[in-house]
Structures are given as structure tokens and as C-alpha cells.
Amino acid sequence: MSTDNYVNFFQEKQGRKGIWTWLLSTDHKRIGLMYLYSIMILFMVGLTLGILMKLELIAPGRTIMGPQTYNGIFTLHGIIMIFLIVIPGLPATFGNFFLPIMIGAKDVSFPKLNLFSFYLYILGALVATTSQFLPGGPPDTGWTFYAPYSFKTSTNMFPAVLGAFILGFSSILTGLNFIVTIHRLRCPGMKFMKMPMFPWTLYGTAWIQLLATPIVGITLLMVIAERFFHIGFFDPALGGDPVLYQHLFWIYSHPAVYIMILPAMGAISEIIPTFSRKGIFGYNALVVSTMAIAIVGYFVWAHHMFTSGLSMVAQFTFSLLTFLVAIPSAIKVFNWVATMYKGSINVQVPFLWALSFIFLFMIGGFTGLVLGAVATDIHVHNTSFVVAHFHYIIFGGMGFAFFAAMHYWFPKIYGKMYSKTPAIVGWALFFIGFNILYFPMFILGLQGMPRRYYDYLPKYASLNAVSTIGSWILAIGFLIVVINLIRGAIKGPKAEANPWEGKTLEWTIPSPPSLENFEEIPEIS
Amino acid sequence: MYSTTDASNFVAGVDTAFYIILGISGVFLVAITVVMLYFVYRYNKKRNPVPTELHGSNTLEIIWTVIPTLLALLMFYYGWKGFYPQRYAPKDALAVTAVARMWSFSFEYPNGAVSNDLKVPIGRAVRVNMKAMDVLHSVFIPDFRIKTDAIPGKNNFIWFVSGKKGTYDLFCTEYCGVRHSYMNSTVNVMADADFDKWYKENGEQGATAGGTAVPGAAGKKIMEQKGCIACHSSDGSKIVGPSFKGIYGENVTVVTGGKDRTLKIDEEYIKRSIIDPSADVVKGFVAGQMISYKTELNDKQIGEIIEYIKTLNVK
């Protein structure tokens, strides 16, 4: 290939000018990057809110804000982090950018629909944001919007719910697009069982997005009908049942956890073999476990509700199924570690993020067993133990995988390389800060400190202070990582087309890729 | 029959489940991490420049599917075993009703006694029935390892036998609004004789008899028992609702149907505020925070409350 007349996708304007080359582009790579930048900006907002919460909790009593503000902040932190960051997360960013390339396609099946999904995402984000500024004040229900408190509060719960409703459609359409793309656009020879793990996990995720997300749409419509037409679905004052709301909410929101974690597992399944310089161990087992998680993950939602007075049969069944859904995750961990066996391991920045992912994900997974067993769940339910657990899974899992993917695919996206030393220093501070921040919350939870507490008894003070200090270390690490990446994208040295010696298709094309990715559609033998 | 020396009869079963789950998890966490780090060291590209391609092993896949499944079933079993008895309260248990409202608990006993902490006799089965007045709440007693949600319209309960005298924390663990983190109480496990003495003295008759001595004392007691003081102070400080200090007979600006008007705080206004709290809301406070106490208080009790508020005018 001649490099003289090579035009990469950043240079290809498609006849548009200025900002319109981005805003109207149907190129999956530009859309992926627009998601990436939106998510990174929102992540900084969510992180700042989290740090403010931890600062308030550094000591008992009032530190920097009143209880109403605190309740508004943890609600907004949850809405931003869950609905705007971790659910779109890897599929919308790296999925959009790399799914077509990894299966040898020029774009997704429906490029315009893809851009429409992005604008639904932006619209949902804007609508949810208005809830902060309208009279009535920021919503204070928590991101779960539990009835009947969410009907009773005088704050702006409606725009937040409507925002989540719109974001749901964005998610459904992305899922639909990916399913069709994977079925229809794989290059010749790319059989399903030859597809790399990242597309496989996106496939499992897309089915969850398509099948589970409508439930949240229906639920939110019922909330709206109840709020404006006083039809009593959930509010006992109108003859409704608040527990019905919890069922519907978790029928979506538990599978949503797998929307978050599956693509993260997919990215790790790409990174570990690349830096071990060998193929993934147990490909078939990884594929089967991906689909097993996607399917069994639908049937465990009520483990969020063991204290709500479910029947004994329901408690027994949901607890048992929760233990079964843990098995495919364990199989994945074993296969990742086995991939390193007899490899020739090149410890680079993405590999460090991947290793720390496995460690943090294991802690998140094991503490999930505590929440799956009924007796122990009853004790730690709604305590800071749960908060620690899901931050280990979502932030330690999905978040670390996101940064692993970011450092892995960065040279492909930008054709440039970041500096290694600040990347490692940033990662180390991030990892250490993370554990200091969240590990004490396991202990606090076991000692009985409830979550969503603005104030707490003096006996919980010292561990809360430790946790707050961890949040500062994490924040410094985060800043170093992000600044280093931005600097690399602007003035990093030129990267080779395949700096990590990766085996998947994205490493066979120049960096940054051209508009249509491949000059000729590749063939897999 | 329920003899235990623990804080509650469920501590042993729940803690066994904790030890088994956290023990097995800890062993696996350390083992996998050590193996992983060893591989990173042993198969580093410096020590092992040429990788050996291995595509997988069915034997290994079966081993690391079957063993974790068996261990998971073991953990499930202990989790279930520790929980199972929590749902079967003995018929002869002392039945207490936990009334949960934004943002306080009160505990009502079969003989009419009412308490702001959960007083229970040592060594006897106690069943606590949940009664949520407004939104979801939850009763959590960490030292007893038990918790259940209080849901309007549902009859959840917890039960226990405590084998150890003492005072234990009791928290609301279901988020319920601005003063959620202040919605807590204690469990007071008393010697049998002490409990019986308190119980007899605080029955229905005991409460009213003691209340007539000092003006307003009966009203004060009702306000404590019904949770009024969680939001309304008697010393002038603002919590969620207006303070009662020195308000009787004063003029106040209220919002009625979206319009401001001024009225005098008299017996009629106080009664209306208790029965229909959102009708005339004092300006600067949020409507809809308080539930109606129409079914909770009778006219005589409201009268006692008014008498108490009048006493707060004395300098």
C-alpha cells in the first residue's frame, strides 16, 4: 500500500466542513469517538460528584453540604454513571469503532441509525440534566427511583425518568444495529466460531440491550401514567404495589449489569492473548460462558429484593440461580490466567490495566457471592458493602477494562503513542487509590453502616476517613492518565500499524484507519 | 427452646455462612492472584522468549467448571440454612409493631405501651411486625444479623431471641428522604423482671394516668410516640417542619393553594395542620412532606398536643 496518497478517517471530510464533519458523519469511527469524548466529559462530572460525596463523609455531621444536597448528589452521580457512562460504555465507544473492523466490514449495517442512536443519547443526557435546573430542585430519589418515595418527593423526578426512557431507546437501537451487523457483515471465512472475543461479547450484550431495555421503557411509562393520571400501579395510596416496581426495575437493571461487564470481558479477552503472544486459551469455553452469562443473567434479578418479603420459593430460586451465574465468570478468569501459561509476556500499559481488572473483578465477584446467599445478603443488603461490591464490579471491572481498551487501541485510533512512564504512574495511583477508597466500605458494611447515609455514627468514622483519602489518590491517578492520553493524541510520536503484534484484523490496516477501513474486504482462511 | 448466648439466635447461622463464603473466596482470590503473578514473572518475554501455543484443554475446562459449581452449591446451602428459620416465628412470640414513618420509629406493644426504642426481654421470642406509614423503610439490627423492609400495605416481619443484655443499634436501611440517615433507634435487651416492670407501668392506663399531672405532658408524650419530634423541634431550631416554640397565638404567613395569606395560629389551625398538612403550609417549608394523622390521632389526643404547644409559649 502506498502511504503517499493514504487518507485516514480524520482527514476524510466527506464533503463537509468544520464541526459538521463530526456531527453529521455516519462513519462508525467518528461516532465511536463522539461517544468516547461525551463519556469522558460526563465521567469527569460523575467522578467530581463522587469525590464531593466522599468529602462530605470524611467525618460525621455536616462537612461541606446539607443532607438535601447530598441526596441530590448521590442521585445525580448514579444517573450519570449508570445511564450515561457504564451502560453505553464499551459498546458505544470501542464497539462502534472496532466491531466493524474486527469482523472485516466497512461500517455497521445501519450507519444512519447509528448516528440517530448517538443523538438520542445526547437528547437523553440533556433531558436528564434539565432535572437539575428546573424549579423544585434536583431529584433526590437515588438512581433506582423506588416507589412510593419517587411519587412523594417534590423534586424534579420526571425529567430524570424521561431522560432514562430516551437513553433506553438509544441502547436498543445500538443493540439492534450490532446484531444485524454481526449476522450480515462478517467478511468471507469469518464464521461465528472464528470471530474474536470482543465482537462475541458485543453480540451477547446486544441481545440483552434489545430484549431487556424495553422493560425499563414500559416501567417508566407506568411511572408517568401514575404520576400524571393517578393510575395506581406502584403507590399503595392509589392501591398499587411498590414491590412490583422493584421487580420491573431489576428485570431490566440486573441484566444491565451484564451489558456493562460483558464487553469489558471481551476487551480483556483481546488484550491478555496479545501481550502473552499466543492465542486465547479455551476459546470455545469463553464463547459459551459469554452466552451463558447473557442468558442466565435474565433470571437473577430478585436477589436485589431478598428483604422485601418475597416468598420462600422465590428466595430459594433466585439465590440458587445467582450462584449458577457466577460459574461462567469463574470460567473466564481461569481461561485468562491459563492464557498466560507458557506465553512470552510483554508487560505493557494495557496489560497492567488488564491484570488489575482480573484482580478487582475477582474481589467484586467473590463479594457478589455474599450477596447471592440469602442469610449473608440479609445482613449486608443496603449497606456500604453493596456499594463497595458494585464499584469493584463496575468501576474495577468495566472501568479498568475501559482504560485497558483505551491504552490498547489508542495507537490504532490516533496513529500516535502515549508516554509509557506517566501511564504506568497514573495506573498505579489509580489502582492503589481505588482499593483504599472502596475496600474499607466492605468492612463498614459488615459492621452495619447503611448506604445512602448523609451522616453516620461515630464508630464508623475512621474507615470513612480512610475511604475519603483513597478518593483523592484515585483522582490524581485519573488526571495523570487522562492528561497523558490527551497529550499523546495531540503530540505523541507516530505509532506503528501493529505496535503490540496483535492478531486480529484491526492490526492489519494502517493507523488511523481509512474511511472504509479496508481497501479490499479481507478473507479469513 | 430458643436458648442462645449470642445477641440473637440467628448470629451463629449467618456468621457460619459468612465464614464459609469469605473463606472459600479468600483462598481462591489469593491462589489465582499468586498463580497469575507467577506466570507474569516466569513467562515474561525475557525468561521465555518463545511462547508455546496451547488452544485449550477439555479436561481443565471440566475441572474448573465442576469444582466451582460444587463449591457454589455449598455456599448456597449455608446461605439458605442460615436464613430459613428467620421466616418462621414461633406462635407465642411477643408481638411488637414497628411503626416506621419519615423519619422516626416507634414500637407499639400488645398492651398499648409505646416506646421509641425497641425494648425486649432477654431469652424470649419477639416478633416485630412492620408498619410503614408513608414510603418504604427498613429495620436493620446489625448485631442481630436481621433486616426486613417496611412496605406500605404489606405485613413483613422479623423475629428473634436475644441472649445478651445490652443496647444495639437499629437503622433504617431503605432510603426514605432528607433525614434518612437520622432515622435510627436502638434495641434494648432487658432482664425479664426489668422488662415486665416497664411493660406493666406503660400499658394504656399507665400512660394516660401519668400524663395528667403536668400540663402538656400527655401531649409531649404523644408527639414523641407518633414521631412528630423527628421533624418539629420545641427549641426553635428548624429541622424539616416549623418549630413549635412560641408559635401559639402568633400570626404566620402560609401558602394556601399556591397563594400567600396570613393567619393566626390557633386551635383550629393546629388541628387542620395535623389532619390535612398540605392545606396551609407555612411559607418557606415544602408541602407534601407530612402524612395526614387523621387515622392516627383522635380528637382527645390532638387536644393534648395543642395543650403542649401552648406550654411552649412560656418564657
Side-chain angles (χ1 to χ4, degrees), chain A residues 131-333:
Chain A
S131 66
Q132 299 298 308
F133 303 107
L134 293 174
D140 65 342
T141 59
W143 76 279
T144 48
F145 307 118
Y146 265 20
Y149 182 76
S150 53
F151 297 101
K152 215 176 144 55
T153 178
S154 56
T155 57
N156 295 317
M157 177 240 183
F158 178 63
V161 168
L162 187 65
F165 182 73
I166 296 168
L167 290 166
F169 278 99
S170 170
S171 190
I172 292 169
L173 294 176
T174 301
L176 178 73
N177 215 339
F178 283 7
I179 289 171
V180 178
T181 305
I182 289 169
H183 274 277
R184 306 299 304 165
L185 295 185
R186 278 169 295 124
C187 64
M190 172 88 60
K191 297 198 168 66
F192 259 97
M193 291 311 279
K194 285 202 166 170
M195 204 161 63
M197 278 317 297
F198 187 57
W200 256 117
T201 53
L202 289 172
Y203 184 70
T205 306
W207 276 109
I208 308 175
Q209 287 176 303
L210 196 64
L211 295 178
T213 319
I215 310 285
V216 79
I218 293 162
T219 312
L220 298 177
L221 281 180
M222 290 163 84
V223 167
I224 289 164
E226 176 150 341
R227 186 123 178 162
F228 293 100
F229 306 112
H230 301 285
I231 300 168
F233 293 116
F234 310 123
D235 187 352
L238 300 169
D241 180 357
V243 179
L244 174 64
Y245 176 86
Q246 297 181 17
H247 278 291
L248 291 169
F249 181 84
W250 290 114
I251 287 173
Y252 165 67
S253 295
H254 194 81
V257 175
Y258 299 106
I259 295 179
M260 304 163 196
I261 200 67
L262 274 176
M265 292 169 157
I268 297 302
S269 303
E270 300 296 332
I271 293 167
I272 301 273
T274 297
F275 293 93
S276 304
R277 298 190 187 207
K278 58 197 279 282
I280 187 97
F281 189 91
Y283 173 84
N284 293 349
L286 283 167
V287 169
V288 171
S289 60
T290 297
M291 295 317 282
I293 290 173
I295 294 163
V296 184
Y298 281 105
F299 304 105
V300 298
W301 76 85
H303 66 213
H304 294 270
M305 301 164 56
F306 284 155
T307 61
S308 70
L310 294 176
S311 72
M312 289 300 261
V313 174
Q315 312 239 32
F316 184 94
T317 313
F318 282 103
S319 174
L320 187 60
L321 287 169
T322 303
F323 274 97
L324 294 183
V325 83
I327 306 297
S329 296
I331 292 170
K332 280 180 182 287
V333 170

Side-chain angles (χ1 to χ4, degrees), chain B residues 161-183:
Chain B
V161 179
S162 181
K164 216 184 208 171
K165 271 195 287 183
T167 309
Y168 303 95
D169 293 319
L170 183 153
F171 298 117
C172 174
T173 41
E174 187 60 65
Y175 174 72
C176 57
V178 66
R179 289 188 65 78
H180 170 53
S181 68
Y182 297 100
M183 186 168 165

Side-chain angles (χ1 to χ4, degrees), chain B residues 227-249:
Chain B
C228 310
I229 58 167
C231 300
H232 301 280
S233 79
S234 54
D235 62 1
S237 62
K238 177 180 167 179
I239 309 175
V240 173
S243 175
F244 293 140
K245 189 186 179 185
I247 58 163
Y248 193 80

